[in-house]
Amino acid sequence: MQFHSTPRVARRTLAVIVLLIGTLLLSSCGKALHKITSDSGEYFDKWTDTTYIALPASYEPISRGDEYGKVSLAGVKNILYRIDGLAPTEYLCTEYGSVYHNKNIQPLLFDDWKISTLKVCTDAATTVSHLKLTPEDEAHASVIAATQAAWRDGVSVRYPSHLTPDENYTLRFESEDVPGLYFAVKLLAYDEDVYDVIVNEAGEEVEVNFGRYFLYDRYSRRCVATDDRIFRLLAGEEITP
């Protein structure tokens, strides 16, 4: 005995098959991660022919996005993630917040950022800040500019490791130029002035009082003096531009 499908049943069966195939294809595409290799501290994505190198550790992702690629390091599988707001062929990050950028694209670094927000955070917090400064506020704009200039142009001094800071914050800068990254640096206040020996323009060694307030990056070990205006804002004082 032979059975024959009616045209309606055949069409319905075909539609179900097409739907299943489409679902499987979408599922497969959604889960496929880029296969990335590692060599001498660089990552290479052969699917996009992109080589990534690390930014200095002071750069942090504001928000980690979806999984993008997988890489094997010392036999252990690691995941690389998108950074929300940035193209994955330009920037990626690791689970622990290290940021990598396309080796063939010169990133815009903090010294040249046009700052849109400065958050004054506790040591560990990245989303909760004690104070938020924006350039729309005239007084805030002067503080932001002075702080960025202090880091960019300040004379490096030896980090006063023999002293314990009275106050300890992390400054996190944002810029619309690079909408997915923070630049983070420590802000420290001591209860006594810090001195260091520098070489002046005449080539002589002189001892200089650098005051009580410093910006410090524990990764590069750079430490520069700054002023007290952020601490005054934290204390509720009004700052004159």
Side-chain angles (χ1 to χ4, degrees):
M1 180 181 295
Q2 294 183 335
F3 295 92
H4 299 278
S5 298
T6 65
R8 181 180 297 176
V9 172
R11 286 197 300 269
R12 185 178 300 167
T13 303
L14 179 60
V16 170
I17 292 172
V18 169
L19 180 61
L20 288 173
I21 292 174
T23 302
L24 289 172
L25 286 173
L26 287 173
S27 176
S28 175
C29 292
K31 293 181 179 179
L33 296 179
H34 289 235
K35 294 180 181 179
I36 297 174
T37 58
S38 175
D39 182 34
S40 302
E42 298 182 353
Y43 291 143
F44 178 67
D45 182 354
K46 64 180 181 180
W47 288 7
T48 61
D49 193 29
T50 304
T51 299
Y52 300 88
I53 58 177
L55 276 176
S58 295
Y59 294 88
E60 306 171 347
I62 293 176
S63 178
R64 193 180 74 189
D66 295 333
E67 294 181 353
Y68 182 79
K70 58 182 177 181
V71 59
S72 179
L73 296 173
V76 178
K77 296 292 183 182
N78 289 271
I79 300 297
L80 295 176
Y81 296 84
R82 296 171 181 264
I83 298 175
D84 289 341
L86 296 171
T89 51
E90 295 182 8
Y91 292 91
L92 294 174
C93 70
T94 67
E95 178 182 357
Y96 302 103
S98 300
V99 177
Y100 285 77
H101 72 91
N102 186 327
K103 186 178 182 179
N104 295 318
I105 297 175
Q106 180 61 41
L108 186 66
L109 299 179
F110 172 71
D111 288 358
D112 297 316
W113 279 13
K114 183 179 180 181
I115 307 302
S116 58
T117 304
L118 168 54
K119 296 178 179 178
V120 183
C121 307
T122 57
D123 188 42
T126 58
T127 57
V128 179
S129 58
H130 291 274
L131 182 66
K132 181 177 178 180
L133 283 66
T134 60
E136 288 75 25
D137 183 303
E138 189 176 358
H140 287 184
S142 65
V143 174
I144 291 170
T147 306
Q148 185 178 23
W151 183 253
R152 181 184 60 230
D153 305 323
V155 175
S156 293
V157 302
R158 283 175 292 185
Y159 173 65
S161 57
H162 60 291
L163 299 175
T164 300
D166 273 2
E167 296 184 76
N168 184 338
Y169 294 95
T170 297
L171 304 183
R172 287 188 167 87
F173 297 85
E174 296 179 48
S175 172
E176 293 178 358
D177 301 318
V178 193
L181 296 183
Y182 286 128
F183 180 82
V185 65
K186 303 290 293 181
L187 174 66
L188 308 173
Y190 295 90
D191 65 357
E192 61 183 89
D193 290 348
V194 174
Y195 294 80
D196 195 14
V197 175
I198 66 169
V199 178
N200 64 17
E201 293 180 357
E204 303 167 331
E205 289 190 348
V206 293
E207 187 176 55
V208 177
N209 181 347
F210 285 95
R212 298 172 46 213
Y213 309 100
F214 293 87
L215 303 172
Y216 175 63
D217 174 25
R218 65 180 180 271
Y219 304 106
S220 67
R221 307 293 292 179
R222 177 166 166 75
C223 183
V224 301
T226 189
D227 59 43
D228 67 343
R229 285 184 291 178
I230 290 179
F231 292 102
R232 289 163 57 195
L233 286 170
L234 286 165
E237 293 185 31
E238 291 187 6
I239 301 295
T240 302

